[in-house]
């Protein structure tokens, strides 16, 4: 049992970890052998040491970007899920809202961002709005798909018991749609990170996106790289958190135990 | 108990085509009678069950249950489908309790009865398991318990054993008969399988497709309780031959 787990862990983690380590070593060696200027491609060691030097200043910037990301994500769930419910339950609202939602999705968010900042002003709020705009579409579409995917037999069954539409929604359709809601949420959380950074690119004086932008304008490529690593780590941790919440609230979705 | 009087059901597809699902169906089913509906796909068997349950309205003729015209769903009906459609987040016993809950009854008062039904169908000790931990046959037993729990007078079964393997299927048929002997109720049972239709039924309704019509109603006077050995009985074979010829005759007419 333990041996099997160890072998599985080796296959799942050791191989990709070794590959990553190999790539980093090759990168480090290449920058030294070919004497690549550090503002074009800094060595991993340089990125790490620069990041370490910035560690205290990074705390504040990371917090700002995290705050914007979580704000945008929360907003996308709070708006996206009820919107999906309205679309599924009301054909009128569906035909009224769906084209608007698709239209909103098809406008490039990077193009909206400057205008938004003009309208909403500075600070974190406009970045939250950009993150929300980027993230809410998958939430709406996935939730709506999930609600529409209830097996027709279950709807017939509920109807044959004369259960109200609200009761059927609460006891059958919504829990049945939870895997879809979480699929949307997982996409939304990673898109929120992108949205927050895009918002910061357009105009800000704090946040990891701001650090990347100002670092590159001063040719401090290694600082830009360490911000990028922090952003990726943030996205991975947030994605993991959503997956964890899914595991805890929907334990029946976990893969069936092996026999 | 159930009375269908020259019932027609036509509906429009999304493309606007008119489909006649069933046509001129007249049938009377008595209290506590076990009636099977057999016929090829597309003969409107499932539509017929929905008409009786009030899930869909007839476009012609009249449907009544216990003398009352059916135009909307009414309590006192249990439904079992080809798929068990259990709720994966509920334990076995909570899945069984789902029916009384949806009926607006107090589930706590039905716990003992739910456990009794699970015991009766051989699922004693599985109360706290989850659907994914059960085999297909066991899941379908849970679905049957769910339908039986409010003790409906009428049980509508739409190919309930259609998704099971042949061996489990025979076992389940006999088990259903055993449960039915203990708790008599009217059962309308749709199937594709001719032997299954004969084994279970007091009467077999043979249907022909597009539009679905009743070709003939056969009375099966085989002794009860029934066993698989009856398949070698002459009367069983005669009934089976007759049903087969009715279905295939209808097919030849079409060519």
């Amino acid at each position: 049992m333990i041996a099997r787990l160890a072998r599985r862990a080796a296959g799942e983690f050791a191989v990709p970890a070794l590959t990553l380590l190999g790539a980093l070593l090759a990168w480090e060696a290449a920058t030294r052998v070919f004497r690549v200027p550090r503002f074009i491609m800094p060595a991993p060691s340089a990125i790490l040491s620069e990041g370490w030097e910035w560690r205290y200043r990074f705390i504040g910037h990371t917090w700002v970007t995290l705050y914007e990301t979580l704000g945008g994500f929360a907003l996308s769930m709070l708006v996206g899920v009820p919107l999906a419910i309205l679309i599924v339950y009301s054909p009128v609202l569906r035909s009224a809202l769906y084209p608007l939602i698709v239209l909103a999705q098809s406008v490039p968010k990077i193009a909206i961002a400057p205008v938004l900042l003009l309208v909403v002003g500075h600070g974190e709020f406009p970045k939250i709005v950009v993150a929300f705009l980027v993230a809410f579409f998958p939430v709406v579409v996935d939730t709506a798909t999930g609600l529409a995917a209830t097996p027709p037999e279950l709807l017939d069954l509920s109807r044959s018991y004369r259960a109200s539409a609200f009761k059927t929604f609460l006891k059958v359709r919504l829990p049945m749609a939870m895997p879809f809601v979480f699929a949307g949420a997982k996409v939304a959380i990673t898109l929120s990170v992108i949205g927050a950074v895009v918002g910061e690119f357009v105009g800000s004086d704090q946040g990891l996106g701001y650090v990347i932008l100002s670092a590159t304008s001063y040719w401090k490529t290694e600082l830009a790289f360490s911000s990028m690593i922090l952003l990726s780590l943030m996205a991975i941790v947030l994605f993991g958190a959503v997956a964890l919440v899914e595991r805890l609230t929907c334990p029946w979705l976990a893969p069936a135990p092996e026999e | 108990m159930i009375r269908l009087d020259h019932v027609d059901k036509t509906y429009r597809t999304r493309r606007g085509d008119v489909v006649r699902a069933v046509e001129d169906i007249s049938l009377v089913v008595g209290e506590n009678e076990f009636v099977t509906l057999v016929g090829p796909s597309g003969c409107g068997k499932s539509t017929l069950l929905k008409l009786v349950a009030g899930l869909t309205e007839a476009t012609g003729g009249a449907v009544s249950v216990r003398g009352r015209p059916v135009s909307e769903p009414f309590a006192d009906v249990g439904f079992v489908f080809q798929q068990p459609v259990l709720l994966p987040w509920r334990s076995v016993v909570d899945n069984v309790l789902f029916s009384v809950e949806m009926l607006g009854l107090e589930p706590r008062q039905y716990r003992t009865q739910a456990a009794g039904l699970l015991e009766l169908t051989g699922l004693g000790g599985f109360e706290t398991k989850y659907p994914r931990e059960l085999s297909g046959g066991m899941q379908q037993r849970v679905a049957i318990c769910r339908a039986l729990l409010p003790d409906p007078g009428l049980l509508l079964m739409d190919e309930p054993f259609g998704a099971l393997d042949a061996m489990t299927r025979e076992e389940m048929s006999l088990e259903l008969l055993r449960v039915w002997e203990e708790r008599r109720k009217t059962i309308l049972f749709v199937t594709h399988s001719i032997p299954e239709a004969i084994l279970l039924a007091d009467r077999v309704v043979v249907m022909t497709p597009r539009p679905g019509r009743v070709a003939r109603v056969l009375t099966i006077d085989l002794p009860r309780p029934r066993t698989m050995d009856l398949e070698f009985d002459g009367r069983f074979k005669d009934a089976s031959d007759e049903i087969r010829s009715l279905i295939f005759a209808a097919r030849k007419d079409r060519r």
Side-chain angles (χ1 to χ4, degrees):
Chain A
M1 178 70 190
I2 290 166
R4 214 176 62 195
L5 274 179
R7 236 180 303 138
R8 246 178 65 188
E12 263 177 59
F13 301 111
V15 175
L18 283 174
T19 312
L20 183 66
L21 192 68
L24 285 174
L25 284 175
W27 177 358
E28 181 82 35
T31 51
R32 281 167 197 261
V33 170
F34 301 116
R35 296 168 190 273
V36 183
R38 50 187 293 162
F39 57 84
I40 291 181
M41 181 54 87
S45 59
I47 294 169
L48 270 181
S49 67
E50 179 73 15
W52 184 248
E53 232 162 82
W54 262 68
R55 60 191 181 278
Y56 296 116
R57 273 176 286 179
F58 266 143
I59 293 173
H61 291 295
T62 307
W63 166 248
V64 169
T65 306
L66 181 67
Y67 173 76
E68 292 160 357
T69 303
L70 288 177
F73 173 70
L75 212 56
S76 73
M77 294 302 285
L78 286 176
V79 174
V81 172
L83 208 58
I85 295 168
L86 288 178
I87 285 173
V88 169
Y89 274 89
S90 159
V92 178
L93 281 178
R94 184 192 164 80
S95 47
L97 291 177
Y98 218 73
L100 287 180
I101 293 170
V102 174
L103 189 72
Q105 168 64 9
S106 58
V107 177
K109 300 303 166 319
I110 304 186
I112 299 185
V115 183
L116 238 154
L117 259 64
L118 210 68
V119 177
V120 195
H122 282 273
E124 283 107 6
F125 185 63
K127 284 87 178 179
I128 290 177
V129 175
V130 176
F132 155 72
L133 283 175
V134 178
F136 93 109
F137 189 69
V139 176
V140 175
V141 172
D142 285 2
T143 307
T145 308
L147 287 172
T150 318
E153 292 96 336
L154 271 178
L155 297 180
D156 278 346
L157 195 65
S158 303
R159 230 153 55 80
S160 79
Y161 289 132
R162 305 169 59 101
S164 68
F166 181 66
K167 198 171 187 179
T168 307
F169 169 74
L170 222 57
K171 300 224 174 218
V172 180
R173 293 189 83 167
L174 186 63
M176 223 43 172
M178 283 318 276
F180 293 85
V181 176
F182 273 106
K186 282 179 184 165
V187 179
I189 192 79
T190 45
L191 286 179
S192 292
V193 179
I194 297 175
V197 172
V198 165
E200 287 172 3
F201 276 1
V202 173
S204 67
D205 46 16
Q206 49 185 347
L208 293 172
Y210 160 76
V211 173
I212 292 176
L213 208 62
S214 62
T216 45
S217 57
Y218 291 109
W219 302 86
K220 294 175 76 175
T221 316
E222 54 274 47
L223 182 58
F225 264 97
S226 30
S227 305
M228 271 189 266
I229 292 170
L230 270 179
L231 274 175
S232 316
L233 285 177
M234 186 199 283
I236 292 170
V237 169
L238 289 175
F239 183 88
V242 174
L244 185 70
V245 172
E246 180 182 24
R247 264 289 180 82
L248 294 176
T249 53
C250 313
W252 68 92
L253 294 175
E258 282 177 49
E259 284 173 27
Chain B
M1 178 180 192
I2 306 169
R3 181 173 212 101
L4 298 158
D5 234 350
H6 301 288
V7 171
D8 293 315
K9 175 67 187 175
T10 57
Y11 59 89
R12 260 174 208 285
T13 62
R14 275 181 188 221
R15 287 169 54 206
D17 304 332
V18 175
V19 176
R20 322 186 83 176
V22 294
E23 193 176 75
D24 196 26
I25 303 256
S26 292
L27 182 69
V28 176
V29 178
E31 194 80 38
N32 293 343
E33 198 181 5
F34 200 137
V35 172
T36 54
L37 302 167
V38 66
S41 326
C43 68
K45 303 180 297 255
S46 304
T47 307
L48 209 60
L49 291 193
K50 285 192 180 183
L51 284 165
V52 171
L55 288 171
T56 180
E57 235 180 311
T59 39
V63 182
S64 65
V65 172
R66 293 211 172 103
R68 282 175 141 178
V70 174
S71 57
E72 54 172 12
F74 50 100
D76 204 32
V77 174
F79 237 117
V80 181
F81 304 93
Q82 182 169 5
Q83 299 301 327
V85 287
L86 303 176
L87 305 178
W89 58 91
R90 284 177 172 232
S91 66
V92 163
V93 69
D94 286 336
N95 261 294
V96 175
L97 289 167
F98 176 75
S99 51
V100 291
E101 224 175 298
M102 291 312 263
L103 278 167
L105 303 167
E106 181 53 59
R108 261 175 303 169
Q109 294 174 356
Y110 285 84
R111 282 203 165 261
T112 348
Q113 292 178 51
L117 273 172
L118 287 169
E119 198 68 49
L120 180 70
T121 50
L123 285 174
F126 285 89
E127 286 86 350
T128 56
K129 296 270 185 215
Y130 283 83
R132 62 185 185 138
E133 298 173 280
L134 307 183
S135 68
M138 287 159 94
Q139 290 188 17
Q140 196 58 288
R141 287 192 183 106
V142 177
I144 292 171
C145 290
R146 174 176 68 188
L148 289 176
L149 185 60
D151 202 21
L154 176 58
L155 195 55
L156 302 172
M157 307 184 88
D158 193 354
E159 291 182 50
F161 308 144
L164 303 176
D165 62 88
M167 280 158 93
T168 314
R169 200 173 173 144
E170 288 188 355
E171 203 185 312
M172 294 282 285
S173 303
L174 295 175
E175 209 167 276
L176 177 64
L177 282 178
R178 194 166 54 75
V179 172
W180 180 67
E181 304 283 351
E182 244 178 77
R183 317 186 165 207
R184 284 291 175 135
K185 47 190 81 247
T186 312
I187 299 184
L188 217 49
F189 185 108
V190 165
T191 178
H192 275 133
S193 155
I194 297 172
E196 192 174 85
I198 302 168
L199 178 74
L200 294 170
D202 295 320
R203 286 188 299 152
V204 177
V205 178
V206 185
M207 293 183 69
T208 54
R210 284 189 196 97
R213 292 165 183 271
V214 174
R216 192 168 303 167
V217 180
L218 276 78
T219 304
I220 309 292
D221 47 7
L222 290 167
R224 290 188 187 270
R226 296 189 179 160
T227 59
M228 289 321 290
D229 300 336
L230 282 174
E231 276 198 50
F232 305 106
D233 193 297
R235 286 168 292 181
F236 195 103
K237 198 176 167 304
D238 291 344
S240 166
D241 288 345
E242 191 175 352
I243 294 168
R244 206 160 272 132
S245 69
L246 282 165
I247 290 169
F248 283 102
R251 280 199 183 166
K252 266 180 212 141
D253 286 349
R254 251 151 236 286
R255 289 197 189 126

